[in-house]
């Protein structure tokens, strides 16, 4: 039992980047995400009544504003195109602080992927009492090999992101791995340092 | 750096645990069943069955007195996205076994031989994961 407590402890303290990835589970499914970058550390749990939307709660440690808060979040799939070899998605999302409704965000993000290629983008507007700002990102990826179901899957990605607070684009490599119900992703940039993302799908 | 180390440690630990569990399951199943050749290339009516032969043979190796629905699915482009399909079918007590063939875009679902397989029900289960089932072939084992 000790080892599980140890693992759970570190699962909780690590946090996670692209928390918008896989924002909706299968109908009746739920997902735990942990995310960390230079702006925030967060833990996000969401439940999907259907594959069209998810609702969840996110606990955020805002590293920029030195503030802790919790958000009620919702994500809605507004468009999906399935083909034999690809899937395209477009989502909108929003969040509202439980303690302070002036602290909120809304955004849009999308992706297109095949088993080999991935393209994703996102835009998010964040509001609070101190300062409003927005974030945007683009992400391109390639799978160096095509794993079968149950294998370890690897993605080599490049991500570029901009934050209106500093008004610069930061571009850096990202590695993504997933196997079974677990996904991890991390990237590094000299300026923004580590991005890390962990996800478990129940 | 410490954070990355922790994530890598957790992920690798989880993978080792997962592989061990998987190997154990396969081994115990193989103990109770023979593995004979199966009709994974052509059905009785001459229609081609487009599945990965090795994956199909492995799937049916542990089955007997069963039928396998080979479901064509659009949008099933990644392992992580297909997990919900497996989880949804596993809730159905009539399902004996399920597998996903990503390379061919197929879902393999095993039922008892006498079970009346309903494609509409299968389509709903696939759609519950956000993908589209476009066709189905049934193979008796």
């Amino acid at each position: 039992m000790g080892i599980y407590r140890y693992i759970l402890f570190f699962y909780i303290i690590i946090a996670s980047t692209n928390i918008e990835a896989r924002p909706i589970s299968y109908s009746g499914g739920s997902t735990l995400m942990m995310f960390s970058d230079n702006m925030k550390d967060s833990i996000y749990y969401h439940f999907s009544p259907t594959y069209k939307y998810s609702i969840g709660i996110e606990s955020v440690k805002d590293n920029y504003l030195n503030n802790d808060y919790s958000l009620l979040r919702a994500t809605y799939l507004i468009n999906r195109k399935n083909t034999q070899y690809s899937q395209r998605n477009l989502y909108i999302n929003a969040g509202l602080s439980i303690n302070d409704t002036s602290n909120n965000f809304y955004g849009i993000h999308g992706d297109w992927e095949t088993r080999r290629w991935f393209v994703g983008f996102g835009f998010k507007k964040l509001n609070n009492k101190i300062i409003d700002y927005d974030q945007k990102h683009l992400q391109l990826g390639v799978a160096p090999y095509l794993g079968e179901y149950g294998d370890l899957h690897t993605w080599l990605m490049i991500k570029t992101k901009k934050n209106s607070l500093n008004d610069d684009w930061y571009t850096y490599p990202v590695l993504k791995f997933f196997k079974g119900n677990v996904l991890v992703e991390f990237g590094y940039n000299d300026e923004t340092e580590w991005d890390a993302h962990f996800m478990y799908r129940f | 750096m410490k954070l990355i180390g922790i994530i890598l440690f957790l992920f690798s630990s989880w993978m080792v645990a997962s592989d061990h569990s998987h190997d154990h399951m396969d081994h115990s199943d193989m103990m109770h069943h023979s593995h004979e050749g199966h009709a994974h290339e052509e059905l009785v009516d001459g229609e081609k069955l487009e599945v990965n032969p090795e994956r199909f043979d492995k799937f049916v190796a542990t089955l007997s007195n069963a039928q396998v629905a080979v479901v064509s699915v659009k949008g099933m482009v990644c392992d992580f996205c297909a997990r919900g399909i497996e989880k949804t079918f596993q809730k159905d007590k009539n399902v004996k076994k399920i597998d996903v063939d990503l390379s061919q875009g197929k879902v393999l679902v095993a039922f008892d031989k006498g079970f009346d397989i309903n494609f509409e029900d299968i389509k709903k289960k696939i759609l519950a994961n956000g993908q589209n089932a476009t066709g189905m072939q049934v193979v008796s084992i």
Side-chain angles (χ1 to χ4, degrees):
Chain A
M1 200 59 200
I3 186 67
Y4 294 111
R5 283 186 185 167
Y6 176 80
I7 290 171
L8 182 63
F9 172 73
F10 280 107
Y11 275 177
I12 289 170
I13 62 166
I14 61 172
S16 176
T17 125
N18 189 6
I19 206 160
E20 279 74 24
R22 314 288 168 217
I24 302 178
S25 302
Y26 60 98
S27 301
S30 56
T31 304
L32 176 69
M33 298 183 186
M34 287 179 260
F35 172 87
S36 180
D37 69 2
N38 60 320
M39 296 299 290
K40 71 171 187 179
D41 298 331
S42 86
I43 299 176
Y44 175 35
Y45 177 84
H46 70 69
F47 172 75
S48 297
T50 80
Y51 75 96
K52 285 274 195 179
Y53 71 99
S54 67
I55 48 176
I57 187 161
E58 181 180 14
S59 175
V60 179
K61 179 179 182 294
D62 190 320
N63 295 326
Y64 187 79
L65 300 174
N66 198 22
N67 188 16
D68 294 350
Y69 54 89
S70 295
L71 293 167
L72 292 174
R73 292 184 49 148
T75 303
Y76 183 72
L77 173 66
I78 54 177
N79 181 263
R80 170 169 287 171
K81 174 73 173 175
N82 289 322
T83 75
Q84 184 67 38
Y85 301 108
S86 70
Q87 186 182 73
R88 183 194 70 207
N89 300 297
L90 190 62
Y91 305 94
I92 51 173
N93 60 2
L96 188 66
S97 171
I98 295 168
N99 302 323
D100 177 8
T101 55
S102 66
N103 184 359
N104 58 69
F105 79 86
Y106 58 88
I108 185 166
H109 55 104
D111 58 62
W112 173 88
E113 67 179 303
T114 67
R115 292 185 70 206
R116 178 73 72 185
W117 300 101
F118 175 91
V119 183
F121 74 94
F123 174 83
K124 195 174 183 181
K125 176 77 173 157
L126 300 98
N127 306 305
N128 60 65
K129 279 180 179 167
I130 303 168
I131 190 169
D132 297 343
Y133 62 101
D134 61 67
Q135 296 173 327
K136 55 196 86 166
H137 77 267
L138 289 169
Q139 194 162 355
L140 304 174
V142 60
Y145 62 90
L146 298 181
E148 290 300 331
Y149 191 68
D151 291 347
L152 170 67
H153 297 260
T154 303
W155 283 85
L156 308 175
M157 309 183 110
I158 187 157
K159 184 174 182 178
T160 183
K161 66 179 181 182
K162 182 182 179 182
N163 185 318
S164 63
L165 293 172
N166 48 31
D167 213 30
D168 281 327
W169 283 96
Y170 296 104
T171 303
Y172 51 98
V174 172
L175 278 172
K176 180 159 81 174
F177 304 99
F178 53 89
K179 180 176 171 61
N181 297 312
V182 173
L183 181 152
V184 293
E185 178 180 303
F186 50 89
Y188 182 79
N189 175 279
D190 285 343
E191 301 279 342
T192 61
E193 299 191 330
W194 290 103
D195 280 7
H197 183 202
F198 167 86
M199 188 184 305
Y200 187 89
R201 182 150 286 174
F202 296 97
Chain B
M1 197 63 197
K2 194 182 288 181
L3 178 69
I4 301 308
I6 291 167
I7 290 177
L8 282 174
F9 168 73
L10 291 172
F11 189 52
S12 56
S13 303
W14 183 87
M15 281 199 307
V16 169
S18 170
D19 284 346
H20 181 266
S21 166
H22 186 71
D23 291 347
H24 178 74
M25 187 179 71
D26 281 352
H27 183 69
S28 61
D29 283 351
M30 291 293 283
M31 296 284 284
H32 298 94
H33 299 276
S34 63
H35 184 189
E36 297 174 355
H38 298 285
H40 52 65
E41 292 178 348
E42 195 169 293
L43 298 177
V44 178
D45 60 6
E47 192 178 354
K48 284 277 184 188
L49 184 60
E50 293 174 351
V51 291
N52 177 328
E54 284 180 21
R55 194 156 193 112
F56 185 82
D57 281 352
K58 190 177 177 187
F59 181 75
V60 300
T62 57
L63 295 172
S64 62
N65 197 31
Q67 51 186 338
V68 176
V70 180
V71 186
S72 301
V73 179
K74 281 187 174 177
M76 201 168 59
V77 292
C78 92
D79 184 309
F80 198 71
C81 329
R83 289 284 143 187
I85 292 177
E86 180 179 346
K87 290 173 189 291
T88 302
F89 276 99
Q90 280 175 339
K91 290 177 187 169
D92 185 341
K93 63 182 189 307
N94 295 306
V95 171
K96 296 177 75 167
K97 194 176 179 183
I98 176 163
D99 192 22
V100 172
D101 181 351
L102 288 173
S103 62
Q104 299 291 331
K106 307 286 184 188
V107 173
L108 311 177
V109 192
F111 298 91
D112 282 324
K113 201 145 211 165
F115 183 73
D116 183 18
I117 299 173
N118 183 330
F119 183 51
E120 290 304 314
D121 182 56
I122 286 177
K123 277 168 78 172
K124 280 182 191 169
K125 285 187 168 71
I126 300 288
L127 186 60
N129 195 53
Q131 281 105 12
N132 303 112
T134 57
M136 179 178 77
Q137 296 167 310
V138 177
V139 183
S140 289
I141 304 302

